Amino acid sequence: MILEAARPDGASAPCRHCGLPLPAGSAGPYCCAGCAAARQAIEGLGLDRFYDRFVLDPAMAPLRPATDAHVDATTYAQPAGSGRSRVHLMVDGLHCAACVWLIESTLARDPRVLRARVNMTTRRLVVEWQGGPELADALLLPVVRLGFQVAPYDPGRLADAAAETERRLLQSMAVAGFAAANVMLLSVAVWSGLVGREAGGGMGVATRDLLHWISAAIALPAIAYAGRPFFAGAWRALRAGRSSMDVPIAVGVVLAAAASLHETLHSGTHAYFDSAITLLFFLLIGRWLDQRARGRARSAAQHLMGLRARAVSLLRADGTTERRAPEQVAPGDRILVAAGERIGIDGRVARGLSDVDAALVTGESVPVAVRPGSIVHAGTINLTGPLTVVTTASGERTLLAEIVRLMETAEQGRARLVALADRVARVYAPLVHVAALATFLGWWLLLAAPLQTAMMHAVAVLIITCPCALGLAVPVVQVVAGGRLMRRGVLLKSATALERLAQVDTVVFDKTGTLTEGRPVLLADPDRLPADLDAAAGIAASSRHPLALALVAAVGRPVAAAASVVEHPGRGLSWPGPDGEWRLGSRAFCGVGETAVETDPELFLARPGRPAVRFAFRDQLRADAAVVVARLRRRGLRILLLSGDRAPAVARAAADAGIGEWQAALDPAAKVAAMADLARQGRRVLMVGDGINDAPALAAAHVSMAPAAAADISQSAADLVFQGQRLTAVADALGAARAADRRVRQNLVLAIGYNALAVPLAVAGHVTPLVAAIAMSSSSILVIANALRPAGGRRHS
C-alpha cells in the first residue's frame, strides 16, 4: 500500500527499494543496481519492515534520500574514442574507503560501465562507459540514490569545501572539549559523593540531582552540536542501507544521553553525560587530523595545474598577435614566447635561440639551450630570448596534462589503502549493534529483567564497545611521531605516511637536488690562473644563467660586472676587450673543437691570441649522502638511483654515493614505469626526489619524501618533506616510522584486547554504564599514554 502511494499516477510498477517507477522494459523489482544493493543490505540487517514503514511512507518524504535528484552529468561527459564516453565529477559525502568501494561496485554492476574509479583524496569520480555522453545521467543516478552528491569537478570548490569542513570540525571539537572538561569536573564531584555516601556520609540526593541537571544542561546542547559530523554520517549510511563507524558512535552517544536524561528525570543514581561528550571530543580530534592530512594530499594535482600559462600570444598570418587561452590553440598555430614567459603549449621551435628551464621534463637545474627544431613543453619557462613556437599539442594533450593524469592515477592506487582501524570497523560496527541488541533482548525476554535494567545493560555494552580507543589507536601515534619528526626537520603530509614508511624495503633516490645539492659548483683546476677566473667572473656577472652565477660565486668576493657585455641567447656572452672581443660561453661560441665524450657542464673563456680557458661545473653530492646510503644498506634496504640526467653524470654520482643500481635519461613516465615494475616485484618503495618531473613518481611510490628546497609540486606530491641539506632525515624518518608502527600495533592490541575482556562482562551485567564510561575513557587514556612513551635513547643505525 505504501509503495502504491509512492508511485506516480499511471506509472509502471515501482522499485521495491526507492518507490520510483521502473524504467521502461525493466523486469524489476529494482530500478537500478544501487537500489538492489541497498535493499539487500537492509534485508541483511533485518531492517526491511522498518524501512518500508517509515522511509517509504509519504509522510516521511522530507527525510527520504534524494532518489529523484537530477544528476545533470551529461553536460560534462565527453567522447573518449572507440564509441566510449567519459565523465569527471566530484563526489560529496565520502568518509572512508567503504564509501569508495560502494560507489565503484555499484557502478560496476552496470554492464555498460567499463571503468569506475573514485580518488579518496581528491574526491574525483571518473566513469568510462560504452555508449554516448547522453547515458551519463542514467549511469550515475544509482550513486545519487545511495545518498552521495555529484557535481562538476572544480578544484577551487573542492578546496573551499575542505576548508569549510575543517572549520566546522574545529568548532565542534572546541565545543566538545569545553563541555567535556566542565562535565567531567561535575562528574568527579558526583563520584566522590557516591563513595562518601557508601562510607556513611557523602552527597545528598538533592545535590546529586542538581549536579546531574547542570551536567545535562551543558552536555546535551554540546552533544547535539558537536556530534553533527557523526550523526549526519550515520544517517546517510543507514538510509542507504549500509553501515559505518559513525553508526555505533551515534547510537552509543544518543542512548547514553537518553539514558542519562532518563536517570536524571527519575532522580537516578547514575548519569553518563561525561562519557558521551568525552567520546565525541576524542573522536573529533581524530577526524580533524584526518581531514587536515587529506587536504594536504589533495593539493598536489591542483598545484601542478597552476603551472599552466593563463594565456599565450597567437601569431596571425598578417604578423599581428592575439592573446588566447592555451586550450583554444590548435595544432599548427604559431605562438610567440617572450623571454621570462612560461610556455603554454607543447611545440617545436621555429625561430629564435634561448635557454629553457626544462625542470618539468628533465629535473635538471641547468637550463636547456633551444634552437629551431627543438621541442618545448607547456609549463617550462623561456629564460633568455624570444621564441616562435609551432604548436603540436595544447590543453589536455600536453605533457603537463599527462603528468597530472599520471599523478592522479598513482594517487588513486594510494587512496585505496585504508587504515587498519577502518578495515576493522567494517566488521566491528555490526557486531557492536548485535551485541547490544542481544544483551537487551536476553535480559528483558529471557531473564525477565525490568525494561530499565535491560536498557542499562545494553547501554553499557554500547558505551564500553564504542570504538574510541580503536579510533585513536592510529591518529594519536601519528600526532606524537609527527611532532618528534618535526623537531628533527621532517614534516608529515599524509595520514598514512608512517604506516607505509614502516613497510619500506627499497629506497629510490633522484639525483639532482636530492642526492646532490641541486646547483652547479665550479670544479678546481690547477692549470687555471686566478686572473682567468676574475676575468670570466667579470663578464659572467652580467648574466642570470645558473653557470654564470656559479662562476661568480666561485670567486668568493663581490665581483664588478664588466661594461658593455652582450648576451647571445643559447650561446654565451661577449665583451669588447682591450685587444678584441672576449667571449664566455659554449664550445661552438668560443671556437673550441667539439668532443665526442660527454662532459660536465662547462663554459669557455676565449680571448684573442690566447688559448681558451675551460671552466667545468659539477652538481656535488650532499655531504652525508654516502654515509646515509651505507646506513640504509645496513638495514637491509635495496638502494637505487633513477635520474633524468645524462648517463656519465648519473654513473659518477652513483659511484660516489655507493649505489650499485642506477638508470639515466628517464622522463616522468619512465620513472612511473620503474615504480610500477618494482611494485610488481613485491617491493615497497620509498621514493626520494625533488624535481617537478619527480612528482608522478613520488605519487606512484608506496611512500615518498622531498627536500624542503624542492619544487613546490614535488613537496605537495610527497608524503614527507625534510628540511636542511642533510639526507640523514631520510634514515631518521624510516627509524621513526618503524617505531611508530610498533606503537600502532600495541595500541590496536590494547584496544581490541580491552573490548575482548570488557564486552563479555558488560553482556553478563557485571558492568554498569558508569563503570563502562570509566573503562572506555581509561582505554583511551592508556592508548594515548602508550603513544606518548619516550622513543628511547637508542639511535637507529
Side-chain angles (χ1 to χ4, degrees), residues 498-538:
L498 284 174
E499 180 182 351
R500 289 180 281 121
L501 192 60
Q503 301 166 353
V504 164
D505 56 17
T506 303
V507 180
V508 173
F509 286 100
D510 174 51
K511 182 182 77 69
T512 304
T514 303
L515 205 61
T516 67
E517 295 179 353
R519 55 186 178 84
V521 176
L522 180 65
L523 296 177
D525 185 348
D527 298 329
R528 187 175 56 229
L529 299 176
D532 295 335
L533 176 59
D534 291 340

Side-chain angles (χ1 to χ4, degrees), residues 430-633:
L431 290 179
V432 169
H433 303 154
V434 172
L437 180 61
T439 300
F440 173 76
L441 295 177
W443 280 93
W444 186 37
L445 299 178
L446 300 180
L447 301 179
L451 179 63
Q452 183 179 5
T453 300
M455 179 64 74
M456 287 300 99
H457 292 328
V459 169
V461 171
L462 276 175
I463 292 176
I464 211 166
T465 55
C466 272
C468 188
L470 186 62
L472 285 171
V474 177
V476 73
V477 174
Q478 291 176 338
V479 171
V480 174
R484 289 170 178 166
L485 283 175
M486 185 176 294
R487 289 190 288 273
R488 296 185 184 182
V490 180
L491 174 65
L492 289 174
K493 295 180 66 267
S494 169
T496 59
L498 284 174
E499 180 182 351
R500 289 180 281 121
L501 192 60
Q503 301 166 353
V504 164
D505 56 17
T506 303
V507 180
V508 173
F509 286 100
D510 174 51
K511 182 182 77 69
T512 304
T514 303
L515 205 61
T516 67
E517 295 179 353
R519 55 186 178 84
V521 176
L522 180 65
L523 296 177
D525 185 348
D527 298 329
R528 187 175 56 229
L529 299 176
D532 295 335
L533 176 59
D534 291 340
I539 298 174
S542 299
S543 174
R544 304 305 298 170
H545 192 284
L547 295 184
L549 296 176
L551 192 61
V552 173
V555 176
R557 63 178 186 276
V559 176
S564 303
V565 173
V566 177
E567 183 162 5
H568 304 269
R571 296 185 292 168
L573 306 166
S574 64
W575 175 64
D579 52 352
E581 185 181 62
W582 292 24
R583 290 189 173 189
L584 178 69
S586 65
R587 285 176 175 267
F589 183 62
C590 296
V592 180
E594 296 293 335
T595 175
V597 179
E598 289 194 68
T599 63
D600 292 309
E602 59 188 4
L603 292 175
F604 286 86
L605 175 63
R607 294 165 292 187
R610 283 181 274 185
V613 179
R614 180 174 182 263
F615 299 90
F617 302 84
R618 185 173 297 174
D619 190 5
Q620 302 283 9
L621 284 182
R622 292 180 185 253
D624 62 342
V627 174
V628 170
V629 168
R631 183 175 167 188
L632 295 175
R633 185 173 287 110

Side-chain angles (χ1 to χ4, degrees), residues 236-365:
R236 280 193 299 267
L238 289 176
R239 77 179 186 178
R242 53 191 175 91
S243 186
S244 68
M245 187 180 277
D246 288 340
V247 175
I249 293 173
V251 171
V253 169
V254 170
L255 283 183
S260 300
L261 184 61
H262 180 272
E263 285 284 288
T264 302
L265 287 169
H266 294 83
S267 191
T269 304
H270 304 298
Y272 323 106
F273 299 113
D274 54 340
S275 174
I277 193 63
T278 303
L279 172 68
L280 281 178
F281 177 59
F282 281 130
L283 290 172
L284 283 166
I285 293 174
R287 182 155 293 188
W288 181 76
L289 292 172
D290 177 72
Q291 181 69 23
R292 292 277 292 178
R294 289 186 189 182
R296 286 192 293 269
R298 187 179 297 134
S299 65
Q302 299 172 23
H303 197 155
L304 185 57
M305 294 306 291
L307 295 178
R308 295 182 301 180
R310 296 294 182 266
V312 296
S313 297
L314 176 68
L315 181 62
R316 294 173 173 171
D318 60 2
T320 60
T321 60
E322 175 189 353
R323 297 291 284 177
R324 282 191 184 178
E327 295 80 7
Q328 298 175 345
V329 177
D333 287 346
R334 290 177 172 260
I335 303 298
L336 290 181
V337 185
E341 185 178 7
R342 190 177 296 277
I343 299 173
I345 46 86
D346 286 359
R348 187 183 303 274
V349 176
R351 180 183 301 171
L353 299 173
S354 185
D355 295 294
V356 171
D357 180 356
L360 176 67
V361 179
T362 66
E364 296 308 305
S365 57

Side-chain angles (χ1 to χ4, degrees), residues 501 504-510 628-629 632-633 637-642 659 661 675 678 683-688 703 705 730 734 738:
L501 192 60
V504 164
D505 56 17
T506 303
V507 180
V508 173
F509 286 100
D510 174 51
V628 170
V629 168
L632 295 175
R633 185 173 287 110
L637 298 172
R638 179 183 175 188
I639 314 296
L640 295 90
L641 175 60
L642 303 180
I659 300 176
E661 298 181 69
M675 294 294 105
L678 289 169
R683 292 284 179 174
R684 304 293 179 88
V685 179
L686 164 63
M687 173 70 189
V688 187
V703 65
M705 293 184 70
V730 176
L734 281 166
R738 292 180 176 181

Side-chain angles (χ1 to χ4, degrees), residues 74-458:
T74 301
T75 306
Y76 307 99
Q78 297 179 346
S82 302
R84 302 179 179 183
S85 299
R86 183 186 302 119
V87 68
H88 294 252
L89 297 170
M90 184 171 65
V91 182
D92 191 22
L94 291 178
H95 292 287
C96 62
C99 299
V100 174
W101 170 84
L102 182 63
I103 293 174
E104 292 181 351
S105 60
T106 298
L107 290 170
R109 289 190 180 100
D110 193 309
R112 295 169 294 182
V113 175
L114 304 175
R115 182 171 68 99
R117 301 298 297 273
V118 180
N119 189 311
M120 185 67 185
T121 56
T122 63
R123 291 196 289 172
R124 177 180 284 202
L125 167 64
V126 181
V127 184
E128 187 173 322
W129 63 92
Q130 191 69 42
E134 68 278 0
L135 297 176
D137 284 1
L139 293 175
L140 288 163
L141 190 58
V143 176
V144 178
R145 288 175 172 169
L146 287 174
F148 299 100
Q149 297 178 1
V150 295
Y153 185 75
D154 182 356
R157 177 179 173 183
L158 181 62
D160 292 341
E164 178 64 18
T165 300
E166 280 189 30
R167 185 183 65 83
R168 290 180 178 176
L169 285 173
L170 196 59
Q171 290 175 341
S172 297
M173 188 167 59
V175 170
F178 174 81
N182 286 275
V183 173
M184 190 61 71
L185 289 174
L186 295 171
S187 298
V188 169
V190 173
W191 296 342
S192 301
L194 290 175
V195 173
R197 190 172 182 181
E198 292 176 358
M203 183 182 294
V205 173
T207 304
R208 183 199 65 206
D209 289 348
L210 176 62
L211 293 180
H212 281 171
W213 278 112
I214 296 175
S215 297
I218 297 173
L220 292 178
I223 289 171
Y225 181 86
R228 291 178 302 166
F230 304 105
F231 299 151
W235 171 243
R236 280 193 299 267
L238 289 176
R239 77 179 186 178
R242 53 191 175 91
S243 186
S244 68
M245 187 180 277
D246 288 340
V247 175
I249 293 173
V251 171
V253 169
V254 170
L255 283 183
S260 300
L261 184 61
H262 180 272
E263 285 284 288
T264 302
L265 287 169
H266 294 83
S267 191
T269 304
H270 304 298
Y272 323 106
F273 299 113
D274 54 340
S275 174
I277 193 63
T278 303
L279 172 68
L280 281 178
F281 177 59
F282 281 130
L283 290 172
L284 283 166
I285 293 174
R287 182 155 293 188
W288 181 76
L289 292 172
D290 177 72
Q291 181 69 23
R292 292 277 292 178
R294 289 186 189 182
R296 286 192 293 269
R298 187 179 297 134
S299 65
Q302 299 172 23
H303 197 155
L304 185 57
M305 294 306 291
L307 295 178
R308 295 182 301 180
R310 296 294 182 266
V312 296
S313 297
L314 176 68
L315 181 62
R316 294 173 173 171
D318 60 2
T320 60
T321 60
E322 175 189 353
R323 297 291 284 177
R324 282 191 184 178
E327 295 80 7
Q328 298 175 345
V329 177
D333 287 346
R334 290 177 172 260
I335 303 298
L336 290 181
V337 185
E341 185 178 7
R342 190 177 296 277
I343 299 173
I345 46 86
D346 286 359
R348 187 183 303 274
V349 176
R351 180 183 301 171
L353 299 173
S354 185
D355 295 294
V356 171
D357 180 356
L360 176 67
V361 179
T362 66
E364 296 308 305
S365 57
V366 177
V368 176
V370 297
R371 53 183 52 84
S374 299
I375 300 297
V376 294
H377 297 282
T380 59
I381 301 175
N382 179 28
L383 294 177
T384 54
L387 296 173
T388 301
V389 180
V390 178
T391 304
T392 58
S394 62
E396 292 298 312
R397 296 178 176 85
T398 63
L399 178 64
L400 178 63
E402 177 63 21
I403 292 177
V404 172
R405 286 191 288 271
L406 287 171
M407 286 186 62
E408 290 189 339
T409 300
E411 286 182 348
Q412 171 63 36
R414 174 191 306 171
R416 294 178 66 83
L417 296 172
V418 294
L420 180 58
D422 286 337
R423 295 197 293 268
V424 171
R426 292 185 187 177
V427 180
Y428 182 88
L431 290 179
V432 169
H433 303 154
V434 172
L437 180 61
T439 300
F440 173 76
L441 295 177
W443 280 93
W444 186 37
L445 299 178
L446 300 180
L447 301 179
L451 179 63
Q452 183 179 5
T453 300
M455 179 64 74
M456 287 300 99
H457 292 328

